């Protein structure tokens, strides 16, 4: 059987930075050529980064993507890489005139085949995900083509990401048209405990398509989304052949033996029923007919999967690092209370950007215990962070001289004074403010708007309190280890006392979290079912949660949810306003003003 | 020709308050019966309110909607209203099993015909809008039925909202199947300067369908959206017959002469090509064959359209009032600077909730001019608001003793101290904090995160500065007038000096807005083209804007957009988290805990 050496470029693009991404395309193509690859596959929308949200509705942005693609094809040839075929994702524009309600400019989530300086063929995602974090009916026109190109005697088909996840469409068309390999550029975000659904998916679709499948996934943080890589190659029988690591860039090079294409097959275009009520146009084209001379394959790389806690910790570090780096920050600042949430946040930050760029502020109040400051100082010394002490009592007094506040209003005031101090230092010195709230307290509303929630990035906002403790212990157990995602701390970086002491917000005398909340192991199981699994009250009780607690926590969560709005809403009177109506990525290097 | 008296119930439902909405259904049906109507048409998703966002993904919510519909049908009959057919919107569930990627539970944006205590037939929206403020591919399964029921010898078809806006689908099916009247429940939000597109739409679709068209629209504020009513009846030739007022509830009762249905037409279901690549199942059914005895029609009501400034002002007042009322607030609070933005905001609030429920705080700093306080006091007296004076200098000093801040950081500190005072008073007394920023300053970033932007609702966030002045003059010219949306002030409520003085944030000595921004008439034209019309740099320059200014303002707007995130993003590691991932209306009376 003919052989092919496939290189999957599991890379970390920057949203909107088309020229940097194009540079990376050339660099990784050269690395692939150096490794003797016969085909390189980049990720979904690699040239623009993914997701780009409302940027795609700008004519100038789509124009730039298309121009960058052509220029990249020419540049690859100029730099002597034109003979190596490259499959890469970008944003294109459909020829159709959008119907009422379809996106302006008719954008496509496209992938192209580049060869000998030219864009040889292109396709676009057929199934548009519009659930969870995806809104693609808002952004794209559905693709209806399946290119199959012959390379060294092997027929290679191209489909994009979601086309693997839904039935019918391009994969069904591959099964009918026949191919030896299906390559799939992806941008599939990390999610905890997915149970290796991605591998099962590749296995099932390879069997359905009747050919080997090479799945190249994006890596890196993009605002809230963390792409974890984990690129996969399976053979036609659905056996795992190769797998890239998680949360790191990697060139996954794999030798495959693939079936010889039917020499009598006709080139050109023909329609195929896609099995989902639509018709896909299959386009067969030829790069090269003759199989390569036989060569000795390299042993395939199969990276082991990380265990659960390392996965989560890695996702958090990468998320902070990419938000920090891609937005051009040089330092972070956070409040350190001596408690476990800020201790873990500081540690993640130190791993992400280096302890020398982490600034912490100790802001004790009249209600702070002695160990607040001593535990915080212990952490500062263990990690070598920059620290300062700013007692807040005098400022709180100045407020209370002007207005009378009691109960929760007085507790909130303390949290807001701390938030203002951090924001003031951030405005003065350019630090990125990290907030330290965990998911359990954010979910139940134990957080102050404009107080502890004030900041630019929230590293542990999706981490339940019980997981905060687990991650802290896990991180301490890695003392002495160093990796791309772990700074080398010879001693455990988090003081044991911060892990073991009873949690308290210390906003009034003797306050403890359990005064108003159930034990965290009980609370967190309930929050996972209500928030993450979207169970209703009846389902929660049926799942064994205490009915009274269910009613109480649902009330808290729903109330907190309604209060947790950032910029306040206001009456909308124009076609486009800010907020939901005009959605742009925060981490984004595209500058409309640069297209002069 | 047979006659029918149609009642369009242009009403203001509460999102999630199914029992209140059902009560309103009975009440307005009784009013319709009292007026001698033969058919009542309520708005889209009237029983649940619109839009309900992610609530629709909860089984318990959809169950409650369906149960409320059946109960409402029975209750209408119990109360002697069963003979009057009612068309009403609600949320139903499709019988289909959702494919991968389709919404959980397969919800439908449905409308039902209620008669004699039963749900006689139902349909669901076919075209799902997924642009601008709409995300309906996320929420609904597409409907594929067109009911046509015979009522007193007239065939009446039912379609839902967006089905009018897009080509093909139910309207095309009406044209093919034939009907005498098309009734359309809607929830279509207000947008300034729509150029009466809604009337044109009704005219064109009536002509296309070949029958009269009755368009019932929701009214009321729902978070950012303002529904303006403006329900319309046109005849088969596309002539306007009747029109309801804007921004108010109204029962629009209209007598129509309509063609006698074909007595030989077959009842039952048959498929029709919908002209958009789909097939619609037309279901013909019979309530009553015989035309009514001839009666003298009532003269139709045609409300005049409001002029532009009254429209905008009405939208803002209704938006504030409904956010306030539906969320159960009893008072509002805002900072009053003596400038025009807070003056207009206070006036809108006084009109929306009554001056006795408006609390204002005057918070002069060391940089405040004398007229700040005197102009603010003048407004307080003109309107009879509750006011207090809280100088901020001592609090600012207390901060500056702890940390050194200069330039913008020091300016932001003053704004944040004011925001904290308002939030403290809000927490202590339960006031809704209104922010006072206008769209020009929010767009260009002349606003402080956690400072003047801190609050619960932002009445003029979508109003450009030049419009702020126009609205202020317009409102002053209404002195002496009283209406549902205007409180009676005998003298002009806004001090002339607040309108005419030069705008300044007064955060440093001698500061004026024009130090850093172009004149507002120039700026606002550019902002409208960039933000509202989404023009790129090239288009803006071609439209006559100064190229240097274009580059500068685009930079400011894009930067502000990225910074205008209040709750910070953070790495997402679970299937569902807060924010974009779990979208619930703020104004919402649904309580998951109530379904016990």
């Amino acid at each position: 059987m003919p052989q092919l050496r496939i290189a999957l470029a599991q890379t970390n693009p920057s949203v909107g930075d088309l020229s940097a991404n194009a540079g990376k395309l050339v660099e990784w193509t050269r690395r692939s050529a150096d490794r003797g690859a016969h085909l390189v596959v980049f990720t979904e929308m690699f040239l623009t980064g993914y997701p780009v949200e409302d940027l795609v509705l700008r004519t100038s942005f789509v124009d730039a993507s298309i121009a960058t693609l052509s220029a990249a094809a020419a540049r690859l040839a100029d730099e002597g890489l034109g003979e190596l075929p490259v499959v890469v994702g970008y944003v294109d524009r459909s020829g159709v005139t959008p119907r009422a309600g379809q996106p302006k400019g008719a954008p496509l989530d496209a992938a192209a085949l580049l060869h000998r300086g030219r864009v040889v063929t292109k396709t676009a995602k057929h199934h548009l995900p519009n659930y969870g974090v995806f809104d693609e009916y808002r952004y794209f026109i559905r693709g209806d083509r399946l290119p199959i190109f012959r390379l060294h005697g092997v027929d290679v088909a191209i489909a994009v990401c979601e086309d693997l996840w839904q039935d019918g469409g391009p994969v069904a068309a591959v099964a009918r048209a026949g191919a030896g390999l299906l390559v799939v550029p992806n941008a599939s975000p990390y999610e905890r405990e997915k149970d290796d659904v991605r591998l099962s998916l590749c296995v099932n679709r390879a069997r359905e398509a009747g050919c080997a499948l090479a799945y190249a996934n994006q890596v890196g943080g993009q605002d809230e989304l963390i792409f974890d890589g984990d690129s996969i190659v399976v053979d036609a029988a659905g056996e795992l052949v190769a797998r890239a690591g998680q949360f790191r860039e990697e060139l996954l090079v794999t030798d495959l033996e693939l079936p010889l294409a039917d020499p009598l097959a006709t080139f050109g275009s023909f329609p195929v029923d896609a099995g989902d009520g639509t018709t896909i146009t299959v386009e067969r084209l030829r790069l090269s007919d003759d199989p390569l001379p036989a060569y000795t394959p390299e042993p395939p790389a199969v990276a082991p999967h990380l265990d659960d806690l390392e996965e989560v910790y890695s996702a958090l570090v990468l998320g902070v690092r990419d938000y920090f780096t891609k937005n051009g920050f040089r330092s972070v600042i956070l409040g350190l209370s001596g408690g476990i949430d800020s201790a873990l946040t500081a540690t993640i930050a130190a791993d992400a950007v280096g302890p020398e760029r982490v600034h912490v502020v100790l802001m004790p109040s009249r209600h702070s215990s002695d160990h607040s400051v001593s535990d915080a100082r212990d952490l500062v010394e263990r990690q070598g962070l920059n620290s300062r002490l700013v007692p807040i009592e005098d400022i709180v007094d100045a407020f209370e001289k002007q207005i009378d506040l009691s109960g929760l209003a007085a507790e909130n005031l303390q949290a807001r004074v701390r938030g203002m101090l951090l924001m003031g230092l951030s405005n003065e010195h350019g630090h990125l403010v990290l907030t330290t709230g965990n998911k359990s307290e954010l979910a139940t509303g134990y957080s102050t708007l404009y107080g502890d929630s004030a900041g630019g990035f929230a590293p542990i906002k999706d981490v339940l309190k019980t997981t905060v403790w687990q991650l802290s212990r896990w991180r301490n157990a890695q003392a002495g280890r160093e990796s791309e995602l772990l700074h080398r701390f010879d001693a455990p970086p988090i003081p044991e006392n911060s892990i073991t002491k009873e949690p308290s917000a210390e906003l009034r005398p003797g306050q403890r979290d359990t005064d108003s909340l159930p034990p965290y192991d009980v609370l967190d199981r309930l929050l996972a079912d209500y928030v993450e699994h979207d169970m209703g009250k009846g389902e929660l009780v049926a799942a064994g949660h205490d009915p009274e607690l269910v009613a109480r926590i649902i009330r808290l969560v729903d109330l907190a949810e309604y209060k947790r709005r950032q910029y306040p809403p206001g009456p909308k009177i124009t076609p486009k306003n800010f907020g939901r109506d005009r959605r742009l990525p925060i981490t984004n290097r595209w500058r409309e003003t640069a297209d002069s």
Side-chain angles (χ1 to χ4, degrees), chain A residues 167-182:
Chain A
D167 289 335
V171 174
V174 172
R176 287 177 200 196
L181 173 65
L182 171 60

PDB file of all heavy atoms in Angstrom, chain A residues 167-182:
ATOM      1  N   ASP A 167     -24.207  13.964  12.339  1.00  0.00           N
ATOM      2  CA  ASP A 167     -24.433  12.938  11.325  1.00  0.00           C
ATOM      3  C   ASP A 167     -24.702  13.562   9.966  1.00  0.00           C
ATOM      4  O   ASP A 167     -25.222  14.659   9.866  1.00  0.00           O
ATOM      5  CB  ASP A 167     -25.635  12.069  11.724  1.00  0.00           C
ATOM      6  CG  ASP A 167     -25.322  11.178  12.917  1.00  0.00           C
ATOM      7  OD1 ASP A 167     -24.135  10.869  13.123  1.00  0.00           O
ATOM      8  OD2 ASP A 167     -26.269  10.811  13.636  1.00  0.00           O
ATOM      9  N   GLY A 168     -24.382  12.802   8.916  1.00  0.00           N
ATOM     10  CA  GLY A 168     -24.633  13.285   7.566  1.00  0.00           C
ATOM     11  C   GLY A 168     -23.603  14.322   7.173  1.00  0.00           C
ATOM     12  O   GLY A 168     -22.720  14.677   7.948  1.00  0.00           O
ATOM     13  N   GLY A 169     -23.689  14.829   5.932  1.00  0.00           N
ATOM     14  CA  GLY A 169     -22.768  15.860   5.483  1.00  0.00           C
ATOM     15  C   GLY A 169     -21.476  15.277   4.950  1.00  0.00           C
ATOM     16  O   GLY A 169     -21.456  14.167   4.401  1.00  0.00           O
ATOM     17  N   PRO A 170     -20.378  15.993   5.113  1.00  0.00           N
ATOM     18  CA  PRO A 170     -19.116  15.600   4.476  1.00  0.00           C
ATOM     19  C   PRO A 170     -18.646  14.176   4.804  1.00  0.00           C
ATOM     20  O   PRO A 170     -18.148  13.483   3.910  1.00  0.00           O
ATOM     21  CB  PRO A 170     -18.137  16.647   4.996  1.00  0.00           C
ATOM     22  CG  PRO A 170     -18.992  17.856   5.205  1.00  0.00           C
ATOM     23  CD  PRO A 170     -20.298  17.330   5.708  1.00  0.00           C
ATOM     24  N   VAL A 171     -18.793  13.729   6.063  1.00  0.00           N
ATOM     25  CA  VAL A 171     -18.300  12.384   6.379  1.00  0.00           C
ATOM     26  C   VAL A 171     -19.116  11.333   5.610  1.00  0.00           C
ATOM     27  O   VAL A 171     -18.563  10.373   5.043  1.00  0.00           O
ATOM     28  CB  VAL A 171     -18.342  12.097   7.895  1.00  0.00           C
ATOM     29  CG1 VAL A 171     -17.961  10.648   8.179  1.00  0.00           C
ATOM     30  CG2 VAL A 171     -17.407  13.039   8.638  1.00  0.00           C
ATOM     31  N   ALA A 172     -20.440  11.546   5.554  1.00  0.00           N
ATOM     32  CA  ALA A 172     -21.276  10.648   4.767  1.00  0.00           C
ATOM     33  C   ALA A 172     -20.862  10.678   3.301  1.00  0.00           C
ATOM     34  O   ALA A 172     -20.845   9.638   2.607  1.00  0.00           O
ATOM     35  CB  ALA A 172     -22.748  11.030   4.925  1.00  0.00           C
ATOM     36  N   ALA A 173     -20.510  11.872   2.825  1.00  0.00           N
ATOM     37  CA  ALA A 173     -20.097  12.003   1.428  1.00  0.00           C
ATOM     38  C   ALA A 173     -18.770  11.292   1.186  1.00  0.00           C
ATOM     39  O   ALA A 173     -18.552  10.698   0.108  1.00  0.00           O
ATOM     40  CB  ALA A 173     -20.002  13.483   1.045  1.00  0.00           C
ATOM     41  N   VAL A 174     -17.864  11.318   2.171  1.00  0.00           N
ATOM     42  CA  VAL A 174     -16.598  10.582   2.029  1.00  0.00           C
ATOM     43  C   VAL A 174     -16.898   9.091   1.898  1.00  0.00           C
ATOM     44  O   VAL A 174     -16.325   8.395   1.038  1.00  0.00           O
ATOM     45  CB  VAL A 174     -15.669  10.821   3.244  1.00  0.00           C
ATOM     46  CG1 VAL A 174     -14.445   9.896   3.179  1.00  0.00           C
ATOM     47  CG2 VAL A 174     -15.225  12.274   3.314  1.00  0.00           C
ATOM     48  N   ALA A 175     -17.823   8.605   2.735  1.00  0.00           N
ATOM     49  CA  ALA A 175     -18.166   7.182   2.688  1.00  0.00           C
ATOM     50  C   ALA A 175     -18.673   6.802   1.298  1.00  0.00           C
ATOM     51  O   ALA A 175     -18.330   5.737   0.763  1.00  0.00           O
ATOM     52  CB  ALA A 175     -19.224   6.870   3.747  1.00  0.00           C
ATOM     53  N   ARG A 176     -19.463   7.683   0.698  1.00  0.00           N
ATOM     54  CA  ARG A 176     -20.021   7.350  -0.624  1.00  0.00           C
ATOM     55  C   ARG A 176     -19.025   7.539  -1.744  1.00  0.00           C
ATOM     56  O   ARG A 176     -18.976   6.748  -2.679  1.00  0.00           O
ATOM     57  CB  ARG A 176     -21.253   8.219  -0.892  1.00  0.00           C
ATOM     58  CG  ARG A 176     -22.393   7.728  -0.030  1.00  0.00           C
ATOM     59  CD  ARG A 176     -23.639   8.534  -0.132  1.00  0.00           C
ATOM     60  NE  ARG A 176     -24.415   8.229   1.081  1.00  0.00           N
ATOM     61  CZ  ARG A 176     -25.682   8.487   1.255  1.00  0.00           C
ATOM     62  NH1 ARG A 176     -26.367   9.067   0.302  1.00  0.00           N
ATOM     63  NH2 ARG A 176     -26.278   8.163   2.379  1.00  0.00           N
ATOM     64  N   ALA A 177     -18.230   8.621  -1.644  1.00  0.00           N
ATOM     65  CA  ALA A 177     -17.303   8.916  -2.741  1.00  0.00           C
ATOM     66  C   ALA A 177     -16.054   8.045  -2.645  1.00  0.00           C
ATOM     67  O   ALA A 177     -15.452   7.710  -3.671  1.00  0.00           O
ATOM     68  CB  ALA A 177     -16.923  10.392  -2.713  1.00  0.00           C
ATOM     69  N   GLY A 178     -15.650   7.665  -1.452  1.00  0.00           N
ATOM     70  CA  GLY A 178     -14.448   6.858  -1.270  1.00  0.00           C
ATOM     71  C   GLY A 178     -13.200   7.708  -1.188  1.00  0.00           C
ATOM     72  O   GLY A 178     -12.991   8.603  -2.003  1.00  0.00           O
ATOM     73  N   ALA A 179     -12.380   7.492  -0.140  1.00  0.00           N
ATOM     74  CA  ALA A 179     -11.102   8.188   0.003  1.00  0.00           C
ATOM     75  C   ALA A 179     -10.203   7.311   0.865  1.00  0.00           C
ATOM     76  O   ALA A 179     -10.677   6.365   1.516  1.00  0.00           O
ATOM     77  CB  ALA A 179     -11.304   9.562   0.659  1.00  0.00           C
ATOM     78  N   GLY A 180      -8.907   7.592   0.858  1.00  0.00           N
ATOM     79  CA  GLY A 180      -7.970   6.812   1.653  1.00  0.00           C
ATOM     80  C   GLY A 180      -7.655   7.457   2.986  1.00  0.00           C
ATOM     81  O   GLY A 180      -7.173   6.808   3.911  1.00  0.00           O
ATOM     82  N   LEU A 181      -7.914   8.785   3.085  1.00  0.00           N
ATOM     83  CA  LEU A 181      -7.583   9.524   4.294  1.00  0.00           C
ATOM     84  C   LEU A 181      -8.498  10.745   4.366  1.00  0.00           C
ATOM     85  O   LEU A 181      -8.761  11.395   3.348  1.00  0.00           O
ATOM     86  CB  LEU A 181      -6.109   9.985   4.236  1.00  0.00           C
ATOM     87  CG  LEU A 181      -5.625  10.927   5.348  1.00  0.00           C
ATOM     88  CD1 LEU A 181      -5.645  10.242   6.713  1.00  0.00           C
ATOM     89  CD2 LEU A 181      -4.209  11.444   5.028  1.00  0.00           C
ATOM     90  N   LEU A 182      -8.986  10.997   5.550  1.00  0.00           N
ATOM     91  CA  LEU A 182      -9.791  12.209   5.787  1.00  0.00           C
ATOM     92  C   LEU A 182      -9.012  13.080   6.756  1.00  0.00           C
ATOM     93  O   LEU A 182      -8.703  12.643   7.876  1.00  0.00           O
ATOM     94  CB  LEU A 182     -11.150  11.820   6.381  1.00  0.00           C
ATOM     95  CG  LEU A 182     -12.048  12.951   6.900  1.00  0.00           C
ATOM     96  CD1 LEU A 182     -12.409  13.939   5.793  1.00  0.00           C
ATOM     97  CD2 LEU A 182     -13.326  12.378   7.519  1.00  0.00           C
TER      98      LEU A 182
END
